Amino acid sequence: MKIMASKDRKNYVSWAQSSIRYCDLDPNGHVNNGAINTFFEDGRVLFRDEYMVQLGDDILTGFALVKFLAEYHLPLYFPGIVDIGTVVTKVGNSSYNLGQGIFREDECIATAEVVTVSFDPKSKTSKPIDSKLRDILYTAMLNQ
């Protein structure tokens, strides 16, 4: 399964911003990987709110992140703001893939590949993505 996370800002459709906090630093003065991964989460939450809000509260349950792969390209320092880009890279039967990038101005700090699976909360088994969500996810792909 190939997921694409791009180092190019033009390859993202949804954008969030987060502030770098002093408490995000490691002993070397770099923003630590936990904080960077939280920035990715901020991007996914905004993406959900931006694209999936019309589905109502049902969108808050019945999905699980099953793969998160981050690659760190450049160090990040305090203070500042980062931009988090998100794009749908694939829609499967019961899962969808996201590519994400964290940028400070035009520099790509980190990229992530994410797989989310739709599941039935009662049976705890995967279930097909319904047609409404499928249509929404397709609108969030860069090249439809």
Side-chain angles (χ1 to χ4, degrees):
M1 153 176 50
K2 182 142 172 87
I3 306 168
M4 300 296 288
S6 177
K7 293 170 80 173
D8 190 336
R9 288 180 72 99
K10 74 176 190 268
N11 291 324
Y12 296 97
V13 299
S14 174
W15 288 95
Q17 276 194 335
S18 290
S19 294
I20 301 167
R21 304 168 309 162
Y22 180 76
C23 66
D24 294 334
L25 303 181
D26 65 18
N28 297 313
H30 303 124
V31 174
N32 68 54
N33 66 309
I36 290 174
N37 294 350
T38 299
F39 296 149
F40 283 125
E41 182 179 43
D42 290 346
R44 291 191 303 276
V45 169
L46 179 89
F47 172 82
R48 181 193 68 206
D49 291 348
E50 187 176 43
Y51 280 88
M52 301 177 190
V53 69
Q54 63 216 22
L55 297 174
D57 290 340
D58 290 344
I59 199 61
L60 299 177
T61 60
F63 291 92
L65 191 128
V66 297
K67 180 178 181 179
F68 176 82
L69 176 63
E71 188 172 351
Y72 310 100
H73 306 292
L74 294 170
L76 186 59
Y77 301 97
F78 173 84
I81 303 285
V82 292
D83 299 319
I84 306 105
T86 302
V87 66
V88 174
T89 58
K90 179 183 175 190
V91 180
N93 182 49
S94 62
S95 66
Y96 62 91
N97 301 356
L98 299 174
Q100 293 190 281
I102 294 176
F103 295 84
R104 187 168 201 171
E105 297 173 4
D106 287 328
E107 289 190 314
C108 182
I109 304 301
T111 53
E113 302 171 348
V114 182
V115 178
T116 301
V117 171
S118 173
F119 72 93
D120 179 331
K122 291 180 184 169
S123 69
K124 307 285 190 237
T125 58
S126 66
K127 69 175 188 176
I129 294 172
D130 71 40
S131 61
K132 281 191 218 175
L133 178 57
R134 184 174 301 283
D135 290 344
I136 289 167
L137 292 169
Y138 281 129
T139 67
M141 292 180 91
L142 191 60
N143 298 312
Q144 299 181 46

